[in-house]
């Protein structure tokens, strides 16, 4: 995010990253050299079989954003991922979606693309672990990256939340796995989650599957509602939290055992 802020900053602005090792473990799953190799392989195998456009999620390194720009692609957020995919499919038969396979899969499913039209690109295998035929038949090529925080949320946790709070609404981020998104009542971007809970009626109960600091902030700002994290033992994002002062005890208060 600091890197992106730096790209967007004007001449008169400075971007300060308090800890240079802070980052995103999901972004680290798509190193530029691997992506460039994969992109070249895809060009070779697809050849005359229709175009492919690269689309990367905001949580990726600047070099990948640049690769997308150079090749007619785009950068998306979780809020506009569906709109960007629709745009990409206007001119291409396929999309290479980086680096989060779950956001790519969940968004594509909402657009009516079937699981049988998606393949996962494993950068540790030749051709991403796919045959040329599979790649030619695919509409979505999903880079094998994931968010270590959001993939902790599970359908079992959703069942537990519903057992404890029969009136609960389960709201998760689309970086969660497909199984979790399908088991939830709602899913949406950070902005969607924020808006849904802030505008919810007093007394409503929300189990939220996203990064703990956002859940805690929502719980604090909505004292007339019950808001708790879907994962009762969730840890904060270890890479992102490198810029945060170590004040864990206070941080856990909003969702600790009294509420969960
Ligand atoms: S929670 Fe952490 S690993 Fe997941 S997308 Fe955000 S910064 Fe990356």
């Amino acid at each position: 995010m600091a890197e992106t802020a730096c790209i967007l900053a004007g001449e008169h602005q400075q971007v300060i990253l308090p800890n240079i090792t802070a980052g995103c473990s999901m972004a680290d799953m798509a190193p530029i050299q691997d992506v460039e190799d994969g992109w070249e392989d895809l060009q070779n195998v697809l050849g005359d079989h229709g175009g492919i456009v690269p689309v990367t999620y905001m949580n990726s390194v600047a070099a990948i954003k640049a690769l997308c720009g150079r090749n007619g692609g785009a950068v998306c957020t979780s809020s506009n991922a569906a709109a960007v995919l629709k745009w990409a499919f206007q001119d291409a038969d396929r999309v290479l979606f980086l680096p989060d396979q779950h956001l790519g899969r969940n968004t594509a499913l909402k657009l009516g693309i079937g699981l049988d039209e998606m393949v996962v690109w494993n950068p540790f295998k030749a051709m991403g672990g796919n045959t040329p035929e599979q790649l030619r038949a695919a509409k979505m090529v999903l880079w094998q990256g994931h968010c270590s925080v959001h993939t902790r949320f599970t359908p079992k946790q959703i069942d537990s939340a519903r057992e404890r709070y029969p009136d609960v609404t389960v709201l998760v981020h689309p970086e969660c796995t497909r199984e979790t998104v399908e088991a939830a009542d709602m899913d949406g971007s950070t902005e969607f989650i924020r808006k849904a809970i802030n505008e919810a009626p007093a007394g409503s109960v929300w189990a939220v599957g996203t990064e703990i600091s956002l859940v805690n902030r929502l719980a604090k700002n909505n004292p007339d509602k019950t808001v708790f994290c879907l994962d009762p033992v969730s840890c904060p994002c270890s890479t992102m939290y490198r810029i945060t002062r170590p004040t864990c005890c206070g941080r856990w208060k909003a969702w600790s055992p009294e509420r969960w």
Side-chain angles (χ1 to χ4, degrees):
M1 286 299 175
E3 201 179 44
T4 302
C6 209
I7 293 167
L8 298 174
E11 290 291 318
H12 61 295
Q13 292 169 316
Q14 272 193 321
V15 176
I16 296 166
L17 180 60
N19 183 331
I20 202 70
T21 66
C24 167
S25 55
M26 179 170 75
D28 293 342
M29 292 175 193
I32 184 60
Q33 192 58 56
D34 288 355
V35 175
E36 279 176 347
D37 289 349
W39 183 248
E40 198 180 315
D41 288 345
L42 282 166
Q43 303 304 307
N44 291 339
V45 79
L46 294 174
D48 300 329
H49 298 271
I52 182 162
V53 164
V55 172
T56 192
Y57 187 27
M58 180 60 89
N59 295 29
S60 57
V61 298
I64 291 176
K65 294 181 174 109
L67 180 142
C68 290
R70 281 198 305 276
N71 291 283
V75 180
C76 72
T77 63
S78 53
S79 295
N80 71 7
V84 172
L85 280 189
K86 273 190 207 165
W87 164 83
F89 278 116
Q90 284 176 359
D91 288 327
D93 298 328
R94 297 171 198 84
V95 166
L96 168 64
F97 193 91
L98 303 134
D100 184 13
Q101 60 172 300
H102 302 293
L103 179 65
R105 184 179 295 110
N106 290 324
T107 308
L109 282 168
K110 281 186 188 162
L111 295 181
I113 298 170
L115 285 174
D116 57 346
E117 296 175 293
M118 304 187 210
V119 294
V120 174
W121 184 277
N122 179 344
F124 299 106
K125 292 187 175 173
M127 297 308 297
N130 303 286
T131 63
E133 291 71 29
Q134 285 171 324
L135 290 168
R136 286 172 193 146
K139 290 191 85 171
M140 290 289 290
V141 180
L142 305 165
W143 190 266
Q144 191 177 278
H146 67 272
C147 167
S148 48
V149 173
H150 287 90
T151 48
R152 285 184 55 90
F153 300 112
T154 63
K156 202 169 163 204
Q157 292 165 353
I158 294 176
D159 290 344
S160 299
R162 286 182 176 141
E163 266 171 38
R164 285 167 187 258
Y165 297 95
D167 294 336
V168 71
T169 302
V170 179
L171 173 52
V172 302
H173 193 279
E175 286 176 29
C176 297
T177 65
R178 176 177 64 85
E179 292 77 9
T180 299
V181 167
E182 285 178 354
D185 297 302
M186 304 161 81
D187 73 283
S189 65
T190 302
E191 180 56 21
F192 179 91
I193 293 172
R194 203 187 61 75
K195 200 161 178 283
I197 295 178
N198 286 341
E199 293 176 1
S204 55
V205 184
W206 295 84
V208 188
T210 196
E211 216 278 327
I212 188 65
S213 60
L214 174 65
V215 182
N216 284 345
R217 212 160 51 242
L218 287 168
K220 191 173 164 208
N221 295 342
N222 290 275
D224 57 337
K225 301 157 204 171
T226 300
V227 180
F228 61 95
C229 183
L230 195 52
D231 180 358
V233 291
S234 179
C235 291
C237 173
S238 57
T239 40
M240 190 161 63
Y241 262 69
R242 287 178 189 156
I243 58 164
T244 307
R245 282 192 301 157
T247 53
C248 286
C249 297
R251 198 174 300 289
W252 305 129
K253 219 172 164 185
W255 59 282
S256 66
E258 298 89 65
R259 303 195 90 162
W260 184 218

